[in-house]
């Protein structure tokens, strides 16, 4: 029947940032009138909270609500570095949408996800910005005067993406809130005037707090993209990783980097030029970041805010 012909299962995976960057696919499918269920294999299971209560997603969870063959289409939009975990499940599936070449993902991640929508008829000249259905919430006491700092990202090798001077930055602003987990925190303590939400909120609540902020600042991390997806003016600090491969960022995002000739180095000779010191982040001054935050606060994008 006609209703069954408009049902799509989308399989997403990996980090919080990957899921946010995949939202243009969900938006495009919604614009085409598809009923979308999302199977979400997330590194951090509470990521599912970010897609709940959204009109373009009918159901979301770690498993599909129905067998794959019950859908008109199945879009296995799993990043290439995760694909081998699931490839066998989709082998020979007659309703599977063909995966784009892996090279697309590594040059423009958002374009990679959108290719699944284009395969189903979405116009090639249309490109929705990533966003999440998260609104501000007054219960956290965060307002347009508040700077929210998200000082972390994933642990292990990914910790090399962390700017080391967030505690000093916090000293420059009167109204500061800090979000994330204990694993995110730098060795030096934050000043005592900072409001502390570390390990105290769900991911959905953290997103609502970020949506309430005047400005958010963070590394190349999932929480930075969550902040940006809500329309909050967001300063993203990049060093060894390449922001260009993510695709176009929303107009409320300001990308900040030191600009050394050796950066980005993540996909090549990783941290070789600085012998692992991550100079591109260490040398990015507190003055520079503070100035960028003030500019972001002064130049709020009305279009981005209106998308909330």
């Amino acid at each position: 029947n006609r209703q069954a012909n408009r049902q799509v299962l989308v399989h997403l995976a990996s980090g919080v940032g990957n899921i946010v960057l995949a939202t243009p696919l969900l938006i495009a499918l919604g614009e085409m009138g598809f009923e979308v269920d999302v199977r979400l294999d997330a590194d951090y299971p509470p990521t599912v909270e970010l897609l709940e209560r959204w009109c373009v997603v009918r159901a979301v969870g770690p498993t599909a609500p129905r067998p794959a063959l019950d859908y008109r289409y199945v879009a296995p939009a799993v990043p290439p570095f995760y694909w081998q975990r699931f490839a066998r499940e989709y082998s020979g599936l007659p309703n599977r949408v063909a995966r784009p070449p892996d090279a697309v993902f590594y040059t423009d991640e958002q374009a990679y996800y959108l290719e699944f929508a284009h395969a189903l008829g979405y116009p090639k000249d249309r490109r929705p910005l990533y966003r999440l259905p998260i609104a501000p919430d007054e219960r956290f006491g965060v307002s347009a005067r508040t700077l929210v700092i998200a000082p972390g990202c994933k642990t292990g090798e990914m910790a090399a993406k962390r700017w080391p001077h967030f505690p000093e930055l916090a000293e420059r602003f009167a109204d500061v809130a800090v979000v994330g987990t204990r694993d995110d925190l730098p060795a030096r303590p934050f000043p005592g005037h900072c409001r502390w939400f570390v390990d105290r909120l769900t991911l959905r609540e953290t997103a609502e707090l970020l949506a309430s902020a005047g400005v958010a600042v963070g590394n190349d991390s999932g929480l930075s993209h969550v902040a940006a997806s809500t329309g909050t003016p967001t300063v993203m600090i990049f060093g060894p990783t390449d922001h260009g491969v993510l695709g176009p960022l929303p107009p409320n995002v300001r990308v900040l980097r030191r600009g050394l000739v050796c950066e980005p180095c993540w996909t090549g000779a990783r941290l070789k030029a600085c012998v692992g010191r991550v100079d591109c982040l260490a040398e990015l001054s507190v003055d520079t970041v503070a100035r960028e935050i003030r500019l972001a606060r002064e130049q709020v994008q009305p279009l981005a805010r209106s998308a909330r």
Side-chain angles (χ1 to χ4, degrees):
N1 59 39
R2 185 180 184 279
Q3 184 179 12
N5 285 338
R6 307 305 295 173
Q7 294 175 355
V8 181
L9 175 65
V10 177
H11 189 173
L12 302 178
S14 199
V16 172
N18 301 114
I19 304 309
V20 175
L21 292 169
T23 58
L25 166 58
L26 305 179
I27 293 165
L29 294 174
E31 290 179 3
M32 289 192 290
F34 284 107
E35 294 182 356
V36 180
D37 290 343
V38 177
R39 173 183 170 184
L40 190 61
D41 281 281
D43 295 341
Y44 182 57
T47 305
V48 70
E49 299 169 7
L50 299 177
L51 302 184
E52 292 174 337
R53 293 174 271 165
W54 193 8
C55 61
V56 301
V57 175
R58 185 176 62 175
V60 55
T63 59
R66 303 204 316 277
L69 284 171
D70 286 355
Y71 293 88
R72 179 67 179 88
Y73 301 107
V74 174
V78 174
F81 58 83
Y82 259 40
W83 178 235
Q84 285 308 310
R85 302 185 187 191
F86 309 105
R88 184 174 298 179
E89 295 183 40
Y90 295 99
S91 178
L93 201 65
N95 54 347
R96 166 186 157 180
V97 181
R99 287 170 55 82
D102 290 356
V104 178
F105 180 91
Y106 294 110
T107 56
D108 186 335
E109 183 173 350
Q110 293 179 72
Y112 178 84
Y113 299 124
L114 269 175
E115 280 298 310
F116 290 93
H118 294 319
L120 299 180
Y122 193 68
K124 289 277 189 177
D125 60 350
R126 294 178 66 178
R127 183 144 192 182
L129 295 173
Y130 70 63
R131 64 179 185 268
L132 287 171
I134 310 291
D137 194 313
E138 295 179 355
R139 74 183 187 277
F140 306 111
V142 168
S143 71
R145 298 183 299 275
T146 307
L147 169 66
V148 177
I149 295 177
C153 56
K154 290 181 179 178
T155 56
E157 184 182 39
M158 293 294 184
K161 300 191 297 180
R162 298 178 180 182
W163 186 61
H165 307 306
F166 283 112
E168 293 89 338
L169 178 70
E171 294 175 356
R172 305 290 185 91
F173 297 88
D175 188 351
V176 179
V178 183
V179 298
T181 68
R182 290 283 172 184
D183 290 339
D184 292 339
L185 300 179
R188 294 187 300 280
F190 278 84
H193 73 280
C194 295
R195 283 183 284 163
W196 207 245
F197 294 94
V198 174
D199 280 337
R200 297 181 180 176
L201 303 177
T202 67
L203 182 56
R204 177 82 184 200
E205 289 170 338
T206 300
E208 291 166 347
L209 184 150
L210 288 164
S212 308
V215 181
V217 59
N219 306 298
D220 171 17
S221 69
L223 284 185
S224 290
H225 290 296
V226 169
S229 72
T230 69
T232 292
T234 303
V235 176
M236 292 190 192
I237 300 173
F238 285 81
T241 54
D242 184 358
H243 67 277
V245 302
L246 303 177
L249 302 178
N252 53 301
V253 172
R254 302 176 74 89
V255 169
L256 188 58
R257 57 190 322 140
R258 176 68 175 83
L260 300 181
V261 295
C262 55
E263 63 177 280
C265 66
W266 199 258
T267 57
R270 187 168 300 178
L271 305 180
K272 182 178 180 180
C274 62
V275 198
R277 294 191 307 269
V278 203
D279 290 346
C280 53
L281 291 175
E283 294 180 9
L284 184 61
S285 73
V286 174
D287 286 341
T288 298
V289 178
R291 181 170 59 250
E292 202 71 15
I293 289 168
R294 293 188 177 100
L295 288 172
R297 180 171 284 163
E298 293 168 3
Q299 299 173 6
V300 175
Q301 297 285 344
L303 178 61
R305 288 285 185 170
S306 67
R308 295 183 172 188

